[in-house]
Amino acid sequence: MKGKAPQEVTTWKIYSLTGTTSSDSIIVARRGDFEKLDKHQGYIEWLFPNFYGSNFNLDCYKLEKEEAKIFRESQIIAERLIRAYTLIYEFFGFELADRQTGQVQRAHNFVERATEVLVNHPHNLLKIRRLLTHMNNVGFKRYAHALVDFLEYEIYCGIGYSTYVKNPDDFPIVPDKFPLSHLVRGKQFATYRAYGADATNQERSANCISSDEDDYADSIYFKTYE
């Protein structure tokens, strides 16, 4: 999407519209085109809006709380969100294993994609933070929790972040089996953890820009599993 968007094309309408300004058109134009997903960053803010503005795409509006409520209450938008999550997961080499729980697993090309996208091009790590914030804002917090769990397993070689914190100097790095273990010494996961199930209310409020519990209500999508 190029140029300043019309004021009436707000973030929730991108997911409600059809045609060239819809979320599905953005997804279709990029599916399988990993080079475009890596080099052209503007789509991230449109597909994964949240309560804070972007320093990278000034044409995109931040998500308002009234809009987030529309996201949470629309089955159609929920289905389109899942298509967007599938797109970005394919880019990372991840796969959505369970739509109800949000469980994430390795895709068939995980080692290749994760190494290329997240280790060799670490600017893409910022995409994960935006995605986690967004999921918490639009009723998919269980997806955020599942993604954090998956990243912890892959970065910390199945041993866990808490074990690393206790003895960081002797923590094993096994890049052949766990390519994301290259990120062990960085601070990325400490940031991601604030969006997961173990985050305190203070951490969640600071990172997701809301202390209102209503802003973390589940999407209507999950009622289909009740």
Side-chain angles (χ1 to χ4, degrees):
M1 184 167 298
K2 297 181 180 180
K4 184 67 176 177
Q7 182 64 46
E8 65 270 16
V9 183
T10 52
T11 48
W12 75 267
K13 284 188 177 180
I14 292 295
Y15 273 95
S16 300
L17 295 169
T18 58
T20 58
T21 56
S22 70
S23 60
D24 279 348
S25 71
I26 297 172
I27 293 167
V28 168
R30 289 160 177 78
R31 173 144 288 156
D33 191 338
F34 295 145
E35 183 176 0
K36 183 182 288 187
L37 287 166
D38 183 38
K39 293 184 177 180
H40 300 278
Q41 308 294 325
Y43 70 93
I44 287 292
E45 286 80 6
W46 287 111
L47 288 184
F48 309 120
N50 53 44
F51 292 155
Y52 59 81
S54 170
N55 293 325
F56 303 100
N57 185 354
L58 300 181
D59 289 340
C60 186
Y61 307 107
K62 71 176 183 178
L63 183 69
E64 300 294 340
K65 292 193 174 187
E66 294 79 6
E67 294 177 303
K69 188 171 184 290
I70 295 172
F71 271 74
R72 293 192 295 269
E73 294 179 351
S74 170
Q75 182 74 19
I76 292 174
I77 290 178
E79 293 283 356
R80 291 178 175 178
L81 285 171
I82 291 173
R83 289 199 284 274
Y85 302 156
T86 301
L87 174 77
I88 199 67
Y89 280 0
E90 288 174 355
F91 174 61
F92 293 140
F94 305 166
E95 186 174 280
L96 179 61
D98 189 311
R99 285 186 164 210
Q100 179 180 5
T101 65
Q103 179 186 355
V104 183
Q105 65 186 18
R106 292 183 173 197
H108 67 91
N109 57 352
F110 171 77
V111 173
E112 173 192 349
R113 292 303 305 157
T115 301
E116 174 65 17
V117 176
L118 300 175
V119 177
N120 296 343
H121 295 91
H123 66 274
N124 286 307
L125 295 168
L126 292 174
K127 291 183 173 74
I128 293 180
R129 183 180 180 186
R130 169 165 280 274
L131 178 61
L132 290 169
T133 307
H134 156 84
M135 287 173 166
N136 274 283
N137 289 162
V138 298
F140 280 79
K141 66 178 180 292
R142 68 179 67 183
Y143 276 39
H145 296 173
L147 179 54
V148 170
D149 290 345
F150 173 77
L151 291 168
E152 179 178 13
Y153 184 88
E154 292 295 342
I155 294 173
Y156 297 98
C157 307
I159 300 172
Y161 177 70
S162 60
T163 302
Y164 165 74
V165 171
K166 291 176 184 176
N167 196 7
D169 292 335
D170 294 330
F171 195 85
I173 297 177
V174 194
D176 291 341
K177 187 176 181 181
F178 292 94
L180 293 187
S181 65
H182 282 293
L183 305 178
V184 161
R185 307 299 181 202
K187 298 180 180 179
Q188 289 84 8
F189 185 76
T191 300
Y192 299 156
R193 186 175 175 275
Y195 299 94
D198 294 333
T200 65
N201 288 338
Q202 183 177 6
E203 287 174 325
R204 186 181 67 173
S205 298
N207 286 281
C208 298
I209 323 295
S210 177
S211 59
D212 187 342
E213 284 299 316
D214 290 343
D215 290 332
Y216 300 100
D218 272 343
S219 165
I220 193 174
Y221 174 81
F222 298 109
K223 291 188 180 296
T224 60
Y225 296 101
E226 293 179 355

